[in-house]
Amino acid sequence: MQRAVSVVAHLGFRLQAFSPDLYRPLSFAQTKICGSDRVKLMESLVVGDIAELRPNQGTLSLFTNEAGGILDDLIVTNTSQGHLYVVSNAGCWEKDLALMQDKVRELQNQGRDVGLEVLDNALLALQGPTAAQVLQAGVADDLRKLPFMTSAVMEVFGVSGCRVTRCGYTGEDGVEISVPAAGAVHLATALLENPEVKLAGLAARDSLRLEAGLCLYGTDIDEHTTPVEGSLSWTLGKRRRAAMDFPGAKVIVPQLKGKVQRRRVGLMCEGAPMRAHSPILNMEGTMIGTVTSGCPSPSLKKNVAMGYVPCEYSRPGTKLMVEVRRKQQMAVVSKMPFVPTNYYTLK
């Protein structure tokens, strides 16, 4: 079954399928970190190994606090233009910007070479099995040479200065295009001229990211969740774990070898759809956790969800109960992603 056709979500203004003239607020914030100490700045705030990134390679990382909680998730790209390109959630924009600006000032006061620039760009996400084919018609660069989590600056359908990154939050192949705001509508319109491309709203994006087992900040992870609890230990750079030089390391690193009280797990059931805040119970009927995200899976024709349970209930195959509309129904802990991802690699 083909999971998704190519879809375009206009994330700078977010075009809606029911009304191309209706715009929504910015969904992602884009920042440029400059200066010779740019990596030092970013590694003082996130858990990832930014120093190891190759030119134009990016990584998903996490802002954390001293208690080990996740302040936001973000993508950091080490560009070949001599700066870091950072994409974070607009819903956390004020605290993210303040966090970075405070650190910039702190390092500048120490005589460090670092600066921050907020980009006035929109972000278009083109996702799905034919996304690269659709985009190739509008660029001169060979997209076959652009694997997952790498980016390049190019002209796209006549709009110059676009950064095309092979990534997206659907589990499918696709790109996110950082486009100067003045060219965003032109580019979205050009993409929509291809019959393969359809507008996608938040509901479509939400079902796709949930099938792919991807977290939504503020729903599945937050400042009271550690990366280990959120099943995001893979974001912790090996060198960073050893150095323990990121915020909250004294809390997070010991959790890698010891026990944590709870973990994010996948759940699957065939009854009524599980929704956020639905209680999770053990087979004896005792509440042990809560669903954070849930919806019917269009691909699997089953209901999928994510939630937090004590570690002893986190093994795949564990049978639990979920309370939906005041009725209890069977659920099974499932491996994630629920649907295999289709990221493009050169392997």
Side-chain angles (χ1 to χ4, degrees):
M1 175 181 175
Q2 181 166 291
R3 182 164 174 256
V5 298
S6 293
V7 297
V8 60
H10 189 178
L11 299 178
F13 306 93
R14 194 175 289 278
L15 289 165
Q16 295 293 333
F18 56 82
S19 174
D21 298 320
L22 180 64
Y23 301 101
R24 292 180 59 126
L26 185 67
S27 295
F28 293 98
Q30 302 172 65
T31 311
K32 181 188 293 187
I33 307 295
C34 309
S36 59
D37 291 312
R38 59 190 180 276
V39 171
K40 179 178 179 63
L41 179 142
M42 191 53 57
E43 289 197 348
S44 71
L45 299 174
V46 304
V47 301
D49 192 338
I50 308 305
E52 74 169 3
L53 293 175
R54 299 184 299 274
N56 294 321
Q57 181 186 17
T59 185
L60 178 71
S61 197
L62 307 169
F63 286 128
T64 49
N65 59 28
E66 292 299 334
I70 300 170
L71 296 173
D72 197 9
D73 56 335
L74 66 156
I75 292 179
V76 183
T77 298
N78 177 29
T79 75
S80 59
Q81 289 76 37
H83 65 267
L84 299 178
Y85 168 59
V86 179
V87 180
S88 55
N89 291 300
C92 299
W93 177 231
E94 290 186 1
K95 71 175 182 181
D96 289 354
L97 182 59
L99 186 70
M100 291 186 285
Q101 287 177 330
D102 287 348
K103 185 58 67 171
V104 166
R105 284 190 290 267
E106 177 185 326
L107 293 181
Q108 286 177 342
N109 289 337
Q110 297 173 6
R112 299 286 185 173
D113 176 28
V114 67
L116 180 151
E117 177 187 344
V118 177
L119 298 178
D120 184 24
N121 282 14
L123 196 66
L124 287 163
L126 181 69
Q127 302 284 291
T130 60
Q133 177 184 333
V134 168
L135 188 63
Q136 189 64 72
V139 301
D141 298 60
D142 186 355
L143 296 178
R144 292 175 298 181
K145 299 179 180 179
L146 193 71
F148 182 61
M149 293 306 291
T150 63
S151 72
V153 176
M154 62 187 75
E155 182 177 297
V156 184
F157 285 100
V159 181
S160 60
C162 295
R163 177 170 292 278
V164 176
T165 305
R166 198 73 172 257
C167 70
Y169 222 59
T170 63
E172 291 294 326
D173 185 22
V175 296
E176 290 185 349
I177 309 169
S178 177
V179 52
V185 172
H186 167 81
L187 180 51
T189 302
L191 289 168
L192 287 166
E193 289 178 356
N194 190 313
E196 284 286 312
V197 179
K198 308 294 181 185
L199 289 172
L202 288 173
R205 198 287 298 266
D206 202 45
S207 65
L208 289 166
R209 68 95 188 167
L210 185 50
E211 287 183 337
L214 300 172
C215 296
L216 181 64
Y217 188 81
T219 300
D220 304 299
I221 52 175
D222 57 29
E223 61 185 14
H224 303 295
T225 309
T226 71
V228 180
E229 291 174 331
S231 298
L232 294 170
S233 299
W234 59 270
T235 63
L236 305 173
K238 184 178 180 179
R239 174 178 61 84
R240 307 300 308 282
R241 298 182 190 197
M244 295 186 66
D245 59 352
F246 56 86
K250 292 182 179 179
V251 175
I252 296 168
V253 173
Q255 290 182 346
L256 294 169
K257 296 182 179 180
K259 285 189 175 182
V260 291
Q261 292 186 343
R262 58 175 191 154
R263 285 190 184 274
R264 178 175 63 94
V265 299
L267 297 167
M268 190 176 295
C269 76
E270 296 183 356
M274 298 170 283
R275 301 294 188 186
H277 310 300
S278 295
I280 303 172
L281 306 93
N282 62 20
M283 296 303 291
E284 289 69 46
T286 301
M287 182 175 172
I288 59 171
T290 306
V291 171
T292 54
S293 291
C295 72
S297 165
S299 301
L300 300 175
K301 308 302 181 185
K302 294 182 179 181
N303 299 314
V304 297
M306 294 190 294
Y308 285 83
V309 298
C311 282
E312 58 265 33
Y313 296 98
S314 64
R315 185 182 298 274
T318 301
K319 293 182 180 180
L320 298 172
M321 304 286 286
V322 177
E323 186 175 303
V324 182
R325 299 172 188 168
R326 298 184 180 181
K327 294 183 179 180
Q328 295 181 7
Q329 60 189 46
M330 288 287 298
V332 178
V333 176
S334 174
K335 290 184 178 179
M336 293 186 287
F338 298 103
V339 176
T341 55
N342 291 307
Y343 303 128
Y344 175 73
T345 65
L346 294 179
K347 295 180 181 179

